[in-house]
Amino acid sequence: MHIGVDVGGTNLVAGVVTKEGEILAKAKRPTINDKGANAIIDDIKTIIAEACDKAGLSESKITSIGLGIPGPVDNDSGKVIFCANLPLTNASLADMLKEKWNVKIHLLNDADAAAFGEAYAGSAKGCANMVMITLGTGIGGGIVINGKIFTGFNQIGGEIGHMAFIHDGKSCNCGAKGCWEKYASASGLIALTKEQMDIDPASTMWQIAPDKHLVDGQTAFIAKGEGDASGQLVVNKYLNYLASGLSSIVNIFQPEIITIGGGISNEGDAMLLPVREMVEKSTFRHPVRNTEIRIASLGNDAGIIGAALAGVV
């Protein structure tokens, strides 16, 4: 059996995963990020053991362990290169886990893990060439080419959210300006919503979110659904930003499928149908075979499945 661990800033989740991509059992505990890497590793060891126990399996049956990390990793050395929100920068996670289990340890970026999970067992199952984007605080990205995660020569490729989108645009936390995620992430949508609310005090968006601290990724979509002109304006502008970036991905990679996850994907057809139409109008087209855009299907399980299996199948 294979173990997949989603190392999140809020929770650590471990799952026992079969080669077919089925999760037999999971265990979870809050992430304690103020006590150093050793404390996090101890908790990871604990939840792996708990997941095995829930699955009714001996830990001796573990054949590999994969970890999805919120940051770039060096899988050759088994180290985390950088982790902004957890004390794992330069941590030798593979060696620390091998102190207990002498099995293959595989590290990968959490967005790559989710992409592989969707490609192997989710919305792009059986697809050898796909791209996944996750619309959250930023934009996570994972690229699968010929059935393998593409990470570039230095293992930090696939940072789709940080592709240059608008020259000298909004400042990004990465230090650059104009990154796609500043415009097409959930955070970008929230910023657009607040800006338009300031312009239009009569907007329905003020009824949905009387305090701007209550604005979220649904606010403009709900207002649009109620016929609010400002909500319509915000959603249209946001979807154009999203579609423009997706069009670049299509033109560069021509993947069979792009799958979209994250909170904004919960808007379903209200997001998906207009984006498909916009992308179709702005990409190089094949007479028969063209990229399909879908909603991710595995939710938070994608990262667990992908982490478990990316290094072994």
Side-chain angles (χ1 to χ4, degrees):
M1 292 297 167
H2 309 288
I3 301 294
V5 183
D6 183 2
V7 182
T10 303
N11 292 299
L12 305 172
V13 187
V16 179
V17 183
T18 69
K19 193 173 182 180
E20 291 70 39
E22 178 186 1
I23 297 178
L24 299 182
K26 293 188 289 186
K28 171 182 174 181
R29 64 174 46 201
T31 305
I32 300 173
N33 60 15
D34 60 354
K35 294 185 178 180
N38 287 328
I40 291 175
I41 286 293
D42 286 344
D43 282 346
I44 289 173
K45 291 177 180 177
T46 298
I47 61 172
I48 289 174
E50 289 175 356
C52 288
D53 185 60
K54 287 183 178 180
L57 295 170
S58 166
E59 292 177 47
S60 64
K61 299 295 185 180
I62 295 174
T63 53
S64 68
I65 299 172
L67 299 97
I69 308 295
V73 300
D74 182 349
N75 200 48
D76 294 333
S77 66
K79 291 184 176 182
V80 177
I81 296 172
F82 176 73
C83 194
N85 299 314
L86 294 173
L88 295 176
T89 298
N90 294 322
S92 300
L93 296 194
D95 288 344
M96 296 165 84
L97 285 174
K98 282 186 176 181
E99 293 173 359
K100 183 169 183 179
W101 297 288
N102 188 25
V103 298
K104 180 174 183 178
I105 311 291
H106 186 76
L107 307 184
L108 65 166
N109 173 267
D110 56 358
D112 289 338
F116 193 83
E118 290 288 342
Y120 194 82
S123 58
K125 184 176 180 179
C127 176
N129 297 281
M130 61 86 71
V131 175
M132 179 177 181
I133 67 163
T134 304
L135 304 174
T137 302
I139 294 181
I143 302 165
V144 176
I145 298 176
N146 295 329
K148 302 293 182 183
I149 294 173
F150 174 78
T151 58
F153 83 100
N154 56 5
Q155 301 194 56
I156 62 171
E159 289 290 345
I160 295 170
H162 295 287
M163 64 179 174
F165 184 63
I166 293 181
H167 175 67
D168 203 30
K170 296 179 180 180
S171 295
C172 182
N173 293 336
C174 74
K177 289 185 176 182
C179 294
W180 186 37
E181 72 171 37
K182 293 300 295 182
Y183 300 85
S185 64
S187 299
L189 173 55
I190 289 169
L192 276 177
T193 303
K194 291 178 177 179
E195 289 169 7
Q196 186 59 29
M197 288 170 68
D198 285 338
I199 294 171
D200 182 7
S203 170
T204 304
M205 292 187 288
W206 281 107
Q207 298 173 27
I208 298 165
D211 187 315
K212 285 204 293 184
H213 289 97
L214 300 175
V215 172
D216 60 21
Q218 293 183 302
T219 304
F221 277 94
I222 294 172
K224 172 182 175 291
E226 295 179 1
D228 181 64
S230 281
Q232 176 79 59
L233 188 153
V234 170
V235 169
N236 287 351
K237 191 170 185 178
Y238 171 76
L239 293 181
N240 270 285
Y241 285 148
L242 178 58
S244 293
L246 292 175
S247 296
S248 293
I249 293 170
V250 171
N251 287 334
I252 294 167
F253 294 104
Q254 291 294 335
E256 182 178 347
I257 292 170
I258 294 177
T259 187
I260 302 175
I264 304 301
S265 68
N266 293 328
E267 297 299 331
D269 286 348
M271 178 270 290
L272 189 62
L273 297 182
V275 162
R276 281 175 174 168
E277 184 176 347
M278 293 172 188
V279 171
E280 184 176 341
K281 291 178 179 178
S282 57
T283 52
F284 285 100
R285 310 293 290 171
H286 186 278
V288 179
R289 299 188 301 276
N290 289 292
T291 299
E292 182 178 349
I293 302 174
R294 297 179 179 175
I295 300 295
S297 63
L298 296 177
N300 293 331
D301 286 345
I304 296 171
I305 296 169
L309 299 178
V312 294
V313 296

